[in-house]
Amino acid sequence: VVYGSKRTTSISFADARVHAHMLRKIARSTVSKSAQMRAAVVYGSKRNFAAASTADEDKYQPPIKLFGTAARYASALYTASAKKSALAAVETEVKQIVALANSDKKFKEFMEDPTMARKKKMAGLDEFCKGGKFSETTSNFIKVVGENGRLNELEKIAECFEELCMASRGEVKCVVTTAEPLDAAMLADVTDALKGHVPANAKVVVSTKVDPRIVGGMTVGIGEKYLDLSLLSKIQKVEHLIGNPV
């Protein structure tokens, strides 16, 4: 990866109140007010135009509401991608960037180094996006995150974005963690059991992890829900009871 060159675009925002401003910077597709007025004259009154615009904007909004800083970035990226009919492409590109950061120590250090001068980091991101030939939406998104010093939260943002994209497809991601890998039969049983914890028409997409520390049993994450069915939690409860005076 080559880090260099200058970037002239400046993007900044502080909180949810400037979500729309952030979105404009990512999407770069804002229609001018004069164009809106001309359209209003052609298609009807200003009131009708405003109602139509609102309805048009609504269809690009995330299908579910998530909370937190990472969720705000993910929601803005979702809307920008939806407007360009590029959700699938952007989802793939964001996953590629996160995977690279997790596999390349040098790149991860570059991304998360808080001491690096902002100008140097932005120049590096600009070169990275050009070299990776990412879409305009993905490139602008990465630069927004970088300029606002949130690259250390990129993986969380990507997870929220994936959840939004899955929701748009009627999918619910369930993360199952076990002490040992699940075989095909066990995975099928778990997947079938999880169907009772999601909406009737939703498709369960199971992601598995292995963590020997839980000893046995499993933990399950379904959206914001968390079920701890691990042997470790049972042991800890027993230890707590033993430690308390009778």
Side-chain angles (χ1 to χ4, degrees), residues 25 40 59 86 111 225:
K25 292 294 185 179
K59 69 180 182 181
M111 294 276 279
K225 298 179 182 178

Side-chain angles (χ1 to χ4, degrees), residues 202-216:
K203 178 183 178 182
V204 175
V205 179
V206 178
S207 173
T208 60
K209 294 182 178 180
V210 175
D211 185 355
R213 293 175 299 178
I214 70 171
V215 185

Side-chain angles (χ1 to χ4, degrees), residues 155-233:
E155 189 164 1
K156 291 181 181 179
I157 297 171
E159 289 174 355
C160 290
F161 182 62
E162 180 187 35
E163 187 173 347
L164 295 176
C165 290
M166 291 182 69
S168 73
R169 299 190 293 265
E171 300 173 348
V172 176
K173 183 177 182 179
C174 301
V175 181
V176 177
T177 303
T178 54
E180 297 181 356
L182 295 174
D183 59 32
M186 293 177 65
L187 179 59
D189 289 341
V190 170
T191 300
D192 190 57
L194 289 173
K195 291 179 181 179
H197 295 272
V198 301
N201 296 324
K203 178 183 178 182
V204 175
V205 179
V206 178
S207 173
T208 60
K209 294 182 178 180
V210 175
D211 185 355
R213 293 175 299 178
I214 70 171
V215 185
M218 67 180 65
T219 63
V220 182
I222 309 174
E224 296 183 352
K225 298 179 182 178
Y226 181 75
L227 305 176
D228 191 344
L229 307 174
S230 68
L231 182 56
L232 175 62
S233 66

Side-chain angles (χ1 to χ4, degrees), residues 60-243:
Y60 299 121
Q61 296 306 306
I64 57 176
K65 183 71 174 179
L66 300 179
F67 301 92
T69 301
R72 290 202 298 270
Y73 281 84
S75 296
L77 178 60
Y78 180 94
T79 302
S81 303
K83 284 185 174 181
K84 292 193 173 184
S85 300
L87 281 171
V90 173
E91 183 181 9
T92 298
E93 290 177 339
V94 171
K95 285 182 178 179
Q96 290 173 345
I97 295 172
V98 171
L100 177 61
N102 287 333
S103 62
D104 188 323
K105 184 178 179 180
K106 185 176 180 180
F107 180 60
K108 190 175 184 67
E109 289 175 350
F110 162 77
M111 294 276 279
E112 299 184 356
D113 184 359
T115 65
M116 184 179 293
R118 185 65 54 84
K119 184 177 181 180
K120 181 179 179 180
K121 179 162 289 190
M122 297 312 299
L125 286 175
D126 190 51
E127 284 299 310
F128 168 71
C129 290
K130 289 179 180 177
K133 297 182 180 180
F134 298 115
S135 64
E136 181 182 18
T137 301
T138 300
S139 296
N140 290 336
F141 161 70
I142 292 298
K143 293 172 187 177
V144 167
V145 175
E147 190 157 352
N148 286 280
R150 298 287 185 177
L151 286 171
N152 62 324
E153 296 185 53
L154 182 60
E155 189 164 1
K156 291 181 181 179
I157 297 171
E159 289 174 355
C160 290
F161 182 62
E162 180 187 35
E163 187 173 347
L164 295 176
C165 290
M166 291 182 69
S168 73
R169 299 190 293 265
E171 300 173 348
V172 176
K173 183 177 182 179
C174 301
V175 181
V176 177
T177 303
T178 54
E180 297 181 356
L182 295 174
D183 59 32
M186 293 177 65
L187 179 59
D189 289 341
V190 170
T191 300
D192 190 57
L194 289 173
K195 291 179 181 179
H197 295 272
V198 301
N201 296 324
K203 178 183 178 182
V204 175
V205 179
V206 178
S207 173
T208 60
K209 294 182 178 180
V210 175
D211 185 355
R213 293 175 299 178
I214 70 171
V215 185
M218 67 180 65
T219 63
V220 182
I222 309 174
E224 296 183 352
K225 298 179 182 178
Y226 181 75
L227 305 176
D228 191 344
L229 307 174
S230 68
L231 182 56
L232 175 62
S233 66
K234 295 179 181 179
I235 293 173
Q236 289 174 336
K237 289 178 182 178
V238 172
E239 290 177 340
H240 178 71
L241 290 172
I242 293 175

